[in-house]
């Protein structure tokens, strides 16, 4: 007999009662993320066919971090921002692709309780070569009812009320947490519905995969080099896609560690604290793993700037702890 299917929308409604500030608002917000994810998924899937989607923007624009914007970066950014603008629960969005946060003029009385920080398209250098890419999102309650300011986005990661990612891969999945465990949903393209496929995800306590851009090895601090050496001595498998979401997702399922240490030239590394490290850190802790910057827990860091970077060591608990001891 066929197994009963739980769809993402059924699951969100079912879990609403677990949420400490139970109201339909967070559910609505997740619904808008789900919709934008489907639209981006549709474009990602036809990227090889349609020129308007592949490559850099016509203006050869760069984002605030000086990185070239791909057309799909811009498309995904617009889709996610519009989806959130169109519903009342979100009063502001910060994105990798925008210098400053955006404020929506939703009156607080209309329920605008949340702000969302996101990396709309992660792994954009992989778009043109048909390799998995993703979206990462982080949700906070705003600090007060006054106007939304950057401070609403600069709360420590431990204050997140929900976080998740979408991976556009051999299948498309949406994985999220509201602080009560981690659940994964796979998009069934034939009906356009995300279905619960990975309930209560747990990362193995230990693993045999290490993911790092070893081209930077000689520029890494001694701690990271020592740990990488230890991984090799143990004959672990090196796996590095270059899309954080995809590397993270594989390691979550199989057990492993993802590292992006600082380098001599860039002591803070490359990854962004607010919309890359923090959401993934909440997910990994909820799945039984750990995330640090090499010295301290990611979720304890108080961000000073929206686009702040941080070194990141994230994955199976025993592996992250060993990397810290080196
Ligand atoms: P983004 O595409 O959002 O700018 O993120 C790219 C990030 C991350 O996805 C990936 O793990 C990392 O950059 C890869 O960097 P290197 O090419 O330096 O290894
Ligand atoms: Mn990214
Ligand atoms: Mn990005």
């Amino acid at each position: 007999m066929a197994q009963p299917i739980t769809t993402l929308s059924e699951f969100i409604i079912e879990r609403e009662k677990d949420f400490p500030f139970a109201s339909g608002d967070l559910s609505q917000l997740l619904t808008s993320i789900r919709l934008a994810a489907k639209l981006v998924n549709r474009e990602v899937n036809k990227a090889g066919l349609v020129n308007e989607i592949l490559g850099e923007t016509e203006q050869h624009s760069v984002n605030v971090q000086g990185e070239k914007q791909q057309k799909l970066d811009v498309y995904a950014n617009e889709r996610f921002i519009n989806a959130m603008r169109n519903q009342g629960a979100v009063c502001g969005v910060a994105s990798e692709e925008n210098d400053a946060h955006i404020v929506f003029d939703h009156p607080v009385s209309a329920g605008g309780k949340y702000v969302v920080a996101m990396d709309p398209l992660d792994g954009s250098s992989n778009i043109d070569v048909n390799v998995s890419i993703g979206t990462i999102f982080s949700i906070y309650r705003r600090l007060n009812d006054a106007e939304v300011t950057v401070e609403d986005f600069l709360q420590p990661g431990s204050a997140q009320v929900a976080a998740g990612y979408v991976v556009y891969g051999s299948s498309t999945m949406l994985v999220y947490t509201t602080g009560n465990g981690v659940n994964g949903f796979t998009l069934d393209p034939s009906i356009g519905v995300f279905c619960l496929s990975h309930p209560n995800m747990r990362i193995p306590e230990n693993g045999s995969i290490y993911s790092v851009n070893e081209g930077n090895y000689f520029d890494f601090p001694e701690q990271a080099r020592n740990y990488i050496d230890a991984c090799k001595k143990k004959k672990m498998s090196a796996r590095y896609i270059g899309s954080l979401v995809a590397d993270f997702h594989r390691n979550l399922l199989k057990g492993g560690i993802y590292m992006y240490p600082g380098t001599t030239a860039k002591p803070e590394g490359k990854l962004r604290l607010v919309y890359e490290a923090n959401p993934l850190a909440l997910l990994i802790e909820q799945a039984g793993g750990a995330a640090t910057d090499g010295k301290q827990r990611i979720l304890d860091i108080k961000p000073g700037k929206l686009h702040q970077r941080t070194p990141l060591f994230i994955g199976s608990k025993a592996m992250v702890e060993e990397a810290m001891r080196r």
Side-chain angles (χ1 to χ4, degrees):
M1 206 174 75
Q3 291 282 328
I5 292 171
T6 304
T7 67
L8 176 56
S9 47
E10 287 167 348
F11 187 87
I12 289 171
I13 292 164
E14 203 176 284
R15 287 295 173 96
E16 218 169 73
K17 61 182 183 316
D18 295 348
F19 194 62
F21 311 96
S23 75
D25 294 337
L26 185 75
S27 303
Q28 256 195 51
L29 205 176
L30 290 167
T31 297
S32 64
I33 288 175
R34 182 187 65 179
L35 172 66
K38 282 192 216 172
L39 295 173
V40 173
N41 175 65
R42 189 186 62 195
E43 298 308 302
V44 169
N45 274 301
K46 61 184 189 200
L49 295 170
V50 197
N51 267 342
E52 295 88 72
I53 287 299
L54 282 185
E56 286 175 39
T57 56
E58 250 112 64
Q59 305 76 14
H60 299 287
S61 52
V62 291
N63 66 17
V64 62
Q65 14 250 327
E67 296 156 347
K68 286 178 188 161
Q69 284 181 315
Q70 306 292 310
K71 288 176 194 157
L72 210 50
D73 281 325
V74 175
Y75 179 89
N77 195 39
E78 285 171 359
R79 284 300 156 285
F80 277 93
I81 289 174
N82 287 345
M84 285 183 266
R85 180 183 282 124
N86 288 341
Q87 59 92 12
V90 186
C91 53
V93 176
S95 162
E96 182 191 3
E97 303 304 333
N98 297 105
D99 303 6
H101 66 278
I102 298 167
V103 180
F104 302 144
D105 53 0
H106 294 149
V108 182
S109 55
K113 292 195 196 80
Y114 299 101
V115 295
V116 178
M118 63 171 180
D119 177 355
L121 217 289
D122 173 68
S124 37
S125 67
N126 280 325
I127 297 168
D128 292 3
V129 291
N130 213 344
V131 172
S132 299
I133 49 183
T135 297
I136 312 175
F137 60 90
S138 164
I139 303 173
Y140 289 91
R141 276 178 84 83
R142 59 195 291 187
L143 290 168
N144 53 51
D145 287 354
E147 199 187 334
V148 176
T149 70
V150 71
E151 289 304 321
D152 288 301
F153 299 93
L154 300 181
Q155 302 180 53
S158 54
Q160 289 170 101
V161 293
Y165 62 84
V166 183
V167 58
Y168 312 96
S170 46
S171 56
T172 292
M173 278 190 71
L174 191 153
V175 176
Y176 81 100
T177 182
T178 53
N180 281 305
V182 179
N183 292 283
F185 301 80
T186 302
L187 183 65
D188 180 337
S190 64
I191 49 173
V193 173
F194 282 103
C195 301
L196 180 63
S197 52
H198 295 65
N200 193 21
M201 298 169 84
R202 304 291 299 171
I203 183 167
E205 174 76 20
N206 217 328
S208 58
I209 294 174
Y210 74 104
S211 311
V212 63
N213 185 342
E214 265 190 275
N216 297 325
Y217 179 87
F218 293 112
D219 293 331
F220 285 152
E222 198 182 357
Q223 178 194 13
R225 278 186 280 131
N226 287 345
Y227 181 67
I228 293 169
D229 293 346
C231 291
K232 289 174 194 275
K233 283 190 190 121
K234 288 185 196 162
K235 299 202 184 304
M236 289 188 179
S237 293
R239 294 283 183 273
Y240 190 73
I241 295 170
S243 293
L244 171 61
V245 167
D247 279 308
F248 176 91
H249 181 68
R250 181 203 52 241
N251 292 357
L252 171 59
L253 294 175
K254 295 193 165 183
I257 185 171
Y258 175 98
M259 296 171 267
Y260 209 113
T263 59
T264 327
K266 294 180 177 167
E268 300 309 317
K270 177 179 185 188
L271 300 174
R272 276 59 54 113
L273 174 60
V274 173
Y275 43 82
E276 291 183 316
N278 268 339
L280 298 183
L282 182 67
L283 285 157
I284 210 75
E285 287 199 4
Q286 283 293 314
T292 77
D293 68 355
K295 296 191 186 80
Q296 58 173 327
R297 184 177 172 235
I298 290 287
L299 295 180
D300 287 339
I301 302 172
K302 164 81 179 80
K305 286 192 307 206
L306 202 49
H307 299 287
Q308 180 170 327
R309 296 176 195 262
T310 178
L312 179 64
F313 297 78
I314 189 165
S316 291
K317 202 168 185 183
M319 299 177 87
V320 174
E321 282 170 0
E322 192 189 337
M324 296 275 282
R325 284 196 299 273
R326 291 279 162 181

